[in-house]
Amino acid sequence: MKVVAAAPGKVILTGEHFVVYGEPALVMAIDRYVQVTVSFRSDYQIYVVSDLGVSGFFDKDQFRPELGGVGARKILEPVKISAEVTMANLDETKGFDIEVTSTLPMAVGLGSSSALAVSTVAAIGRLLEITLNKDEIIQLSTEAEKYVHVNPSGVDQSISAYGNIISYSKSQGISRIQTDSAIPLVIGNTNVGRNTGRIVDSVGFRTRKLPNVMRSLTSIAGTVTRDAIDVMKQGNLEQLGLLMDINHGLLSAIGVSNEFLERLVYAAKRGGALGAKLTGAGGGGCMIALTNVNQQETVAHAISQAGGTPIKVKKANKGVRSWFIR
Ligand code: PMV
């Protein structure tokens, strides 16, 4: 008996960085998933194999790599943490075989670490026949997220667990926004890694140098996100596109864009996108372009011509799911 769980990744539609200063951000689940398959072992070890070409055995705090050398541990440790916290309340310890496959690129701001933690918790919980609601899954997956990101806000795990769209702000926390709009996007991956913490710090530097200007920009970003929520509920993609363009301008203004991201944004616009912006921390990672369904291919082509890797996605309406297989 095996259990499979799949959890979606995410993009930030509006509000990144400004969310650090108290304004809301809008986050959407995308139909790209991390999938985890788990079964019991006859011993107490946790064996993890990933399609990233790494695998190994955890025996309590010891790790024995099989593929990928000692570096494999860093990639696989969050899976082991998620499995351990999920069985923490059981009387006895179990061993598991865990296989990870993913259609989400890693470390470019698409929420792969959260999708991995959430799907592992959901799969292990189901296998152990522990009933976990979404909030409990989010809670348990936080331990693995803390290992990957020092201070996770929780929004990535929430979108992986719930799917659809979430708005998040420091004061209001997480609110789910259900919308039937399809929201077709093309992601443009620069394939350039970045360090979110360092980019957040660079914004902090500007904020200390130019507090008045930064306060004004932050307030406009808040208006952009609040209006984006309204137009999305009305299914008005043209307006959403305009707001995304303005949001990108604000992100450029605070210095988190770069030449590569700008090139992809302009290419997408030329290819017919309704709006385009960098998504997430910036400085590398990904941009997103909002399109009509029939325009996705043209925009993807334009992004590819400009040197990015296009990924056509749409909103994932459902969050993490799990099921038994034989
Ligand atoms: O690195 P990403 O793509 O998950 O996004 C970071 C979002 C920021 O607003 C820049 C930082 C944060 O903690 O909200």
Side-chain angles (χ1 to χ4, degrees):
M1 186 79 82
K2 292 183 177 184
V3 171
V4 183
K10 66 99 199 330
V11 293
I12 302 180
L13 288 177
T14 64
E16 55 273 89
H17 285 290
F18 302 103
V19 70
V20 173
Y21 298 89
E23 294 298 339
L26 261 184
V27 184
M28 181 179 101
I30 53 172
D31 58 350
R32 289 283 185 132
Y33 299 86
V34 172
Q35 185 165 304
V36 171
T37 306
V38 299
S39 55
F40 287 119
R41 284 176 67 86
S42 52
D43 60 20
Y44 297 108
Q45 298 190 72
I46 297 177
Y47 171 69
V48 191
V49 54
S50 152
D51 62 354
L52 292 171
V54 287
S55 62
F57 296 84
F58 290 93
D59 193 345
K60 298 206 175 68
D61 288 334
Q62 302 292 318
F63 177 70
R64 183 159 49 86
E66 181 187 54
L67 279 176
V70 281
R73 179 167 195 163
K74 197 158 181 254
I75 298 171
L76 301 176
E77 184 86 21
V79 180
K80 178 232 182 195
I81 294 172
S82 295
E84 282 184 345
V85 294
T86 309
M87 66 174 155
N89 292 328
L90 294 183
D91 294 337
E92 47 170 348
T93 309
K94 304 269 188 193
F96 305 100
D97 282 323
I98 306 179
E99 185 191 348
V100 180
T101 58
S102 174
T103 54
L104 262 177
M106 274 187 53
V108 283
L110 299 181
S112 61
S113 63
S114 287
L116 177 59
V118 164
S119 54
T120 306
V121 168
I124 297 280
R126 187 91 189 242
L127 187 70
L128 293 169
E129 294 177 26
I130 311 171
T131 312
L132 295 173
N133 64 31
K134 300 263 165 119
D135 289 336
E136 289 164 331
I137 293 174
I138 293 165
Q139 178 69 32
L140 290 170
S141 64
T142 302
E143 285 312 310
E145 273 296 85
K146 279 191 199 150
Y147 174 84
V148 183
H149 307 286
V150 182
N151 190 11
S153 68
V155 71
D156 282 17
Q157 297 115 274
S158 301
I159 197 72
S160 269
Y162 283 115
N164 220 304
I165 292 178
I166 275 175
S167 77
Y168 168 78
S169 75
K170 276 192 172 161
S171 61
Q172 308 280 309
I174 278 151
S175 319
R176 295 172 66 194
I177 299 172
Q178 296 288 345
T179 159
D180 295 332
S181 313
I183 319 207
L185 297 176
V186 183
I187 296 170
N189 187 355
T190 64
N191 297 296
V192 176
R194 79 272 181 275
N195 181 319
T196 298
R198 209 170 293 150
I199 302 168
V200 169
D201 286 349
S202 77
V203 177
F205 175 78
R206 280 187 190 223
T207 303
R208 286 190 298 279
K209 290 272 176 212
L210 300 166
N212 295 336
V213 175
M214 291 297 278
R215 206 173 302 119
S216 302
L217 292 175
T218 302
S219 152
I220 301 170
T223 308
V224 166
T225 294
R226 281 185 286 277
D227 279 7
I229 295 173
D230 290 342
V231 300
M232 222 163 39
K233 285 182 177 161
Q234 297 153 10
N236 190 335
L237 292 190
E238 279 81 14
Q239 295 255 44
L240 181 60
L242 291 176
L243 289 163
M244 284 168 61
D245 286 343
I246 291 171
N247 195 160
H248 180 72
L250 295 171
L251 290 164
S252 297
I254 62 169
V256 299
S257 189
N258 62 20
E259 217 178 316
F260 197 171
L261 285 164
E262 293 298 323
R263 203 158 67 228
L264 299 189
V265 163
Y266 277 85
K269 293 287 290 176
R270 214 172 36 246
L274 298 169
K277 63 180 277 292
L278 72 84
T279 185
C286 294
M287 52 73 69
I288 52 174
L290 180 69
T291 71
N292 286 316
V293 183
N294 55 14
Q295 206 71 26
Q296 248 184 336
E297 196 52 57
T298 324
V299 171
H301 182 70
I303 287 172
S304 163
Q305 288 291 306
T309 306
I311 310 167
K312 287 179 278 179
V313 297
K314 55 183 185 330
K315 177 157 56 71
N317 288 325
K318 292 205 159 53
V320 66
R321 284 169 299 135
S322 63
W323 60 94
F324 282 98
I325 57 166
R326 295 236 149 248

